[in-house]
Amino acid sequence: VVNDGPPVTLSERSLDAVADYIKSGKVRRIVVMTGAGISTAAGIPDFRSPETGLYANLAKLNLPEPEAVFDLNFFKTNPKPFYVLAKDLYPGNFHPTISHVFIRMLSTKGLLHQLYTQNIDCLERAAGIPSELIVEAHGSFANQRCIDCKTAFPHDLMREHISRAEVPRCTRPNCKGLVKPDIVFFHEALPSLFYDRIHMADTADLALVMGTSLQVHPFASLPEQVPTHVPRVLFNLERVGSLGSHADDVLVLGDCDTGVRKLADALGWREELEAEWRQL
Ligand code: APR
């Protein structure tokens, strides 16, 4: 349900009012929640967009259902589809987007309280966001290990296997277990850091939700952690989750880079944003 009542904190439910709120100096703690939609402009498909999403394009792997590619039980029986996909997703070939750089600007201006991302592409790190401000709720490709004995697997060997879409096995002779990046698969627990940091949303002055369908829990419950009087701004192609139902929710529907550029214009940060993005 969309709440069309008067806002409590903002002067009106618009990006200009959000910019005024930030410029007022009252905003010191911004929490940002992101999904695959902020990396599509980098050339990484998201998961659920009808035509271009990963799940619509896995037919060649003839999976029981698309999400099986990230299912731990399926991976144990057949790890090959994941490694075919990993070849397309592996970090190193992609460039952070305007949205990533905007989040980095928030941190350089001392306004970023916490970034919670579902993305495994490490583009937040590549954009220069301090790692202590990033919660990679679904892990990332940054590290990998044997799923049986947990022994870490060497990066260079991993890169080789991924480039050939080959399945890596544990280096310990009497183990030979399957190796998997530290990506959170379905039926796996999220990193404890996610649970340690959830409550930073309780003390936010502003929340930005960007490029996510909010289909996957427990991440999808994060926007509910934000107190109802705290403005929540959604930058997404379509309305998702409960966004729009709080008095100070602002819906910026459409391409997230376009929405972020509009906010940067209203803040007077646009030139700086474009320059930082070009320098990356
Ligand atoms: N600008 C704004 N929104 C966009 C853009 C864009 N350029 N591109 C895509 N979107 C939106 C889509 O409309 C959709 O609402 O981003 C959202 C992406 O949703 P998903 O594809 O479901 O991605 P995400 O929400 O990150 O998925 C969550 O699902 O498969 C698991 O673990 C995986 O982390 C992933 C989780």
Side-chain angles (χ1 to χ4, degrees):
V1 92
V2 180
N3 174 333
D4 48 14
V8 168
T9 304
L10 297 173
S11 54
E12 61 176 17
R13 297 170 68 164
S14 71
L15 273 184
D16 283 338
V18 171
D20 291 343
Y21 176 49
I22 293 174
K23 287 188 285 191
S24 73
K26 285 187 215 135
V27 175
R28 284 192 311 285
R29 289 183 300 276
I30 301 178
V31 290
V32 182
M33 299 153 188
T34 59
I38 70 162
S39 295
T40 51
I44 305 174
D46 69 8
F47 294 94
R48 294 176 180 79
S49 279
E51 303 300 314
T52 53
L54 268 180
Y55 291 153
N57 292 289
L58 290 177
K60 66 177 185 282
L61 298 176
N62 51 56
L63 299 162
E65 75 275 333
E67 293 182 335
V69 73
F70 292 117
D71 182 289
L72 188 60
N73 302 329
F74 180 82
F75 179 79
K76 286 176 180 170
T77 63
N78 180 2
K80 186 69 180 169
F82 170 75
Y83 278 101
V84 170
L85 184 67
K87 187 171 165 25
D88 297 339
L89 289 180
Y90 205 60
N93 322 324
F94 305 102
H95 193 85
T97 65
I98 276 284
S99 293
H100 289 99
V101 175
F102 181 79
I103 301 166
R104 201 273 301 276
M105 282 179 74
L106 293 178
S107 72
T108 38
K109 292 175 186 292
L111 294 171
L112 183 64
H113 193 42
Q114 191 70 122
L115 165 66
Y116 304 91
T117 183
Q118 299 168 91
N119 298 342
I120 56 176
D121 54 34
C122 298
L123 286 183
E124 300 87 1
R125 300 181 191 208
I129 298 165
S131 55
E132 66 272 12
L133 291 179
I134 304 174
V135 173
E136 289 165 327
H138 293 170
S140 82
F141 274 107
N143 298 295
Q144 54 281 329
R145 70 199 66 255
C146 171
I147 59 173
D148 293 341
C149 73
K150 311 296 177 205
T151 305
F153 190 78
H155 291 285
D156 48 353
L157 266 183
M158 186 63 169
R159 198 168 281 281
E160 260 176 53
H161 279 80
I162 292 231
S163 65
R164 293 198 303 267
E166 268 176 27
V167 179
R169 289 214 170 251
C170 184
T171 47
R172 286 183 52 222
N174 56 359
C175 175
K176 310 306 279 170
L178 282 172
V179 168
K180 180 178 99 36
D182 290 350
I183 291 170
V184 179
F185 274 29
F186 293 108
H187 299 119
E188 269 193 311
L190 272 64
S192 54
L193 186 68
F194 176 79
Y195 297 100
D196 299 345
R197 298 278 180 86
I198 273 188
H199 293 291
M200 297 186 75
D202 304 356
T203 55
D205 310 306
L206 176 64
L208 309 181
V209 181
M210 308 169 76
T212 176
S213 62
L214 292 180
Q215 295 280 306
V216 175
H217 286 273
F219 189 97
S221 60
L222 266 178
E224 313 316 311
Q225 290 290 126
V226 178
T228 48
H229 68 280
V230 173
R232 302 184 307 178
V233 188
L234 174 70
F235 294 95
N236 207 62
L237 288 178
E238 78 269 352
R239 203 169 91 70
V240 293
S242 70
L243 275 299
S245 65
H246 288 187
D248 287 80
D249 282 352
V250 178
L251 301 179
V252 184
L253 301 185
D255 172 73
C256 54
D257 286 355
T258 306
V260 158
R261 282 180 158 121
K262 274 200 198 107
L263 178 54
D265 281 334
L267 286 165
W269 296 0
R270 178 70 185 270
E271 262 173 52
E272 191 184 349
L273 174 66
E274 301 292 348
E276 294 208 357
W277 183 50
R278 272 194 304 277
Q279 274 155 19
L280 259 185

